[in-house]
Amino acid sequence: MMNEIWQKNITLFLSRFPALAGYLGVGEGSLTVGGGPNPEYLLSASELEIVPSRRGNMPTARAKDGEGKSRMLHSLYDPVREAEQAADSVKKTNPDSRACAFFSFGLGYPVVAYARKFPDDALIVVEPNPKAFFTALSAIDWSPVFNMRDVTFAIATGADVVVSLLERAGGLLSVALFQNQAHTMHASAYYCALSSQIERNRDKERINAATFRRFSALWKKNIGMNSSVINARVSSLSDFVAKNKESLSGRPFVVVAAGPSLSEILPHLKEMGRRAFIVAVDTALRSCLDYGVEPDFVVLCDPQFYAYRHIAGLSSPSSVLVTEAAVYPPALRFRCREIVMCASNCPLEMMAEKGLVDGEFVREDRKRGILSSGGSVSTTAWEFARVAGASEIYMAGLDLGYPENETHVRGSTFEELAHSVSSRLFPAETFGAGALFGANMMWAEDYGGRKILTDNRMKMFAWWFESRCTSYPKLRTYSMSSRSLKIPGITVRTREEFFENTKDFRAVSEN
């Protein structure tokens, strides 16, 4: 009986997912021995014990947890009925969901039950250990799963791949998740990391949804007021990068944020500008100009008036302003060398950017260019440097915390505002304290192993940088201060090390 189930499942698996079989390095000849499963591709008896259930002659299983104690993966009495109730519970909890992801599955009862009850839904099955997957195929009939119209197996894949699959399945907030601690205990570290990454992405989606609800009216108003200016004097990001590919690609970029540690870099920024392209976020532009540095690029992609105030009254004739269609209208009157427009994240602008290309309607992103954002202008600036072809990216003033209880670099617009509104009874220190302790503060660690105050919002930005560095491992990113919040994937490289590892390419251009 087991051999018949195995042959049926493996035949369906190999015919439906030949690419996955190739990725796992398996085939009919290697998986099957003597008509049954090859023991090399199954969990051992010490890892998983398959035993008969007390009803229906269906197998159930027990496994050992991290403490060495045996634990049932399914009901010892009726695993089929238990799985059906679990499938109903998942659908009842997520009635509007049309996709469900299973974090492991034991012998597969919950997955099969869901496939039988809701065959029109999308199904994503996640399992880091291929042996656990093939062991399940040897135990029960998986044909309802293999016969589904939309089913994806994420076997032996990284957490970032799983997250992208969930996003494509309809978004992390709309995909139902089935998690059973007994099923995931064999790879608890993997599933813990995956759950954490999913929750952080869900937080990001919730924030994006809240942002849209709050600023959608402002986006629409700005886009309408900017339309004539955009058509008249703005070039697209993709065209700009393509036109300047030879000069931009393969060069180091320094992204200048407005964190307190920027004060360590500002006196040396002009010399750094001869060895790297300088990309300043809007909040850091005033500090750069105070030190006589006109950045190569200024990034401003926030539609709010308060974002525009960071560059109001300033000019940088040799800089290129990188912005989007929903920016506050006076920002497009900023005196600079050129304005470059990236694709907007505003839903209305996304619809307006559609055009007919090769007979099909597509996003204008193919022409204008997308800059992925993690919610902070510093993330957009990093993304611009990557898209422009940076060989390596140095982050100056990206503290994502409050080193020594400071909020911004001295001389920034925020600091100037604090002084402009200060009085005898409301000094600048009180203004800064409100910004410092107004968020949900927590302790974290900087690159020197010291404690640094940060908050949930900045931790989310840090996670964005961590995930992007993981996605682009060949593009090295460095922090230029050991006082900044430690981000996995980003290492410290001091300004002395920067000068040791870069050359003055501006002199070559001038010659």
Side-chain angles (χ1 to χ4, degrees):
M1 179 66 178
M2 185 182 75
N3 288 352
E4 293 178 4
I5 291 175
W6 172 258
Q7 288 291 353
K8 183 178 182 180
N9 285 336
I10 287 301
T11 300
L12 290 171
F13 168 67
L14 294 177
S15 62
R16 178 78 186 271
F17 301 101
L20 176 58
Y23 168 74
L24 298 176
V26 298
E28 176 63 27
S30 60
L31 285 172
T32 303
V33 176
N38 186 342
E40 293 183 6
Y41 293 94
L42 304 182
L43 294 173
S44 65
S46 62
E47 295 174 294
L48 183 72
E49 182 185 2
I50 299 179
V51 297
S53 63
R54 295 175 182 174
R55 182 177 181 182
N57 196 29
M58 296 297 293
T60 185
R62 65 165 60 95
K64 292 182 178 179
D65 59 19
E67 299 177 353
K69 298 179 181 179
S70 293
R71 186 168 183 175
M72 296 301 301
L73 302 188
H74 306 289
S75 169
L76 186 60
Y77 182 70
D78 191 347
V80 175
R81 177 60 179 163
E82 176 194 52
E84 291 175 346
Q85 292 175 343
D88 289 334
S89 177
V90 170
K91 180 58 75 171
K92 185 177 181 180
T93 306
N94 306 272
D96 299 327
S97 176
R98 293 296 176 265
C100 183
F102 283 82
F103 287 4
S104 200
F105 35 74
L107 297 183
Y109 285 113
V111 187
V112 173
Y114 194 93
R116 284 198 179 110
K117 286 178 170 290
F118 313 105
D120 295 329
D121 283 7
L123 203 60
I124 300 171
V125 182
V126 183
E127 173 52 60
N129 188 350
K131 289 187 176 182
F133 174 61
F134 291 123
T135 301
L137 296 189
S138 71
I140 68 171
D141 183 5
W142 277 60
S143 57
V145 179
F146 290 122
N147 292 330
M148 289 185 72
R149 178 182 55 84
D150 190 352
V151 59
T152 303
F153 286 97
I155 310 296
T157 60
D160 55 331
V161 176
V162 176
V163 171
S164 65
L165 289 173
L166 298 179
E167 289 175 338
R168 288 201 294 268
L172 292 170
L173 294 178
S174 60
V175 176
L177 297 181
F178 181 91
Q179 302 183 68
N180 186 317
Q181 188 176 359
H183 296 170
T184 60
M185 65 183 180
H186 67 287
S188 57
Y190 172 85
Y191 286 110
C192 181
L194 175 58
S195 298
S196 176
Q197 189 165 343
I198 288 174
E199 190 55 37
R200 286 183 292 187
N201 275 273
R202 282 181 162 177
D203 287 342
K204 182 183 71 174
E205 288 193 4
R206 293 187 189 101
I207 291 173
N208 290 341
T211 301
F212 172 68
R213 289 194 299 270
R214 182 175 180 181
F215 296 109
S216 59
L218 177 61
W219 278 335
K220 296 172 187 177
K221 179 181 177 181
N222 289 353
I223 290 171
M225 296 179 67
N226 291 338
S227 57
S228 59
V229 179
I230 292 172
N231 295 332
R233 57 172 295 212
V234 173
S235 58
S236 71
L237 171 66
S238 55
D239 288 344
F240 177 83
V241 172
K243 182 174 65 176
N244 297 279
K245 183 177 181 180
E246 186 175 344
S247 60
L248 294 175
S249 183
R251 302 291 189 186
F253 278 64
V254 174
V255 174
V256 182
S261 69
L262 180 60
S263 59
E264 305 167 6
I265 304 299
L266 284 173
H268 312 276
L269 192 58
K270 180 173 287 189
E271 179 58 28
M272 288 180 177
R274 300 192 61 82
R275 298 165 176 264
F277 288 109
I278 305 298
V279 183
V281 305
D282 51 7
T283 52
L285 176 61
R286 186 180 299 274
S287 298
C288 293
L289 297 178
D290 286 345
Y291 277 80
V293 178
E294 291 189 7
D296 297 289
F297 305 96
V298 179
V299 179
L300 171 59
C301 291
D302 191 323
Q304 299 181 80
F305 166 72
Y306 296 101
Y308 159 69
R309 285 191 62 183
H310 293 299
I311 66 171
L314 304 179
S315 65
S316 186
S318 61
S319 301
V320 174
L321 176 64
V322 180
T323 186
E324 64 153 67
V327 74
Y328 196 72
L332 297 183
R333 296 196 292 269
F334 175 67
R335 194 159 69 89
C336 58
R337 178 164 63 91
E338 184 178 355
I339 297 180
V340 172
M341 190 74 64
C342 65
S344 175
N345 290 318
C346 169
L348 175 67
E349 178 66 4
M350 288 179 182
M351 295 177 62
E353 286 174 347
K354 289 185 177 180
L356 193 64
V357 177
D358 298 330
E360 296 181 359
F361 280 100
V362 296
R363 281 280 309 276
E364 185 69 11
D365 300 336
R366 285 175 53 175
K367 298 179 181 179
R368 187 167 287 180
I370 299 176
L371 290 182
S372 174
S373 174
S376 164
V377 67
S378 297
T379 62
T380 307
W382 184 95
E383 184 74 359
F384 168 76
R386 182 193 67 81
V387 170
S391 59
E392 51 191 10
I393 302 176
Y394 293 83
M395 306 301 298
L398 182 74
D399 295 320
L400 297 184
Y402 308 101
E404 300 177 15
N405 293 338
E406 295 180 323
T407 57
H408 290 74
V409 64
R410 299 296 178 184
S412 66
T413 302
F414 179 87
E415 291 288 338
E416 295 299 319
L417 176 63
H419 290 294
S420 66
V421 300
S422 66
S423 64
R424 184 171 62 88
L425 299 178
F426 187 75
E429 289 77 9
T430 302
F431 184 88
L436 181 63
F437 297 106
N440 183 19
M441 305 300 297
M442 65 184 70
W443 288 105
E445 188 177 276
D446 67 12
Y447 286 98
R450 300 172 293 265
K451 286 186 175 182
I452 179 175
L453 272 175
T454 185
D455 56 43
N456 287 330
R457 179 173 53 93
M458 293 194 181
K459 292 280 282 187
M460 189 180 71
F461 299 155
W463 168 79
W464 184 93
F465 281 106
E466 178 185 347
S467 62
R468 297 303 277 179
C469 290
T470 302
S471 301
Y472 299 95
K474 294 183 179 179
L475 176 59
R476 299 304 305 272
T477 303
Y478 302 98
S479 171
M480 302 195 73
S481 175
S482 62
R483 297 196 298 149
S484 303
L485 177 69
K486 185 177 181 180
I487 303 173
I490 299 180
T491 56
V492 172
R493 182 173 278 185
T494 63
R495 63 176 182 273
E496 292 81 9
E497 292 172 324
F498 168 85
F499 287 119
E500 290 175 4
N501 289 276
T502 55
K503 297 180 180 179
D504 187 347
F505 67 83
R506 307 276 189 177
V508 176
S509 302
E510 291 166 0
N511 291 336

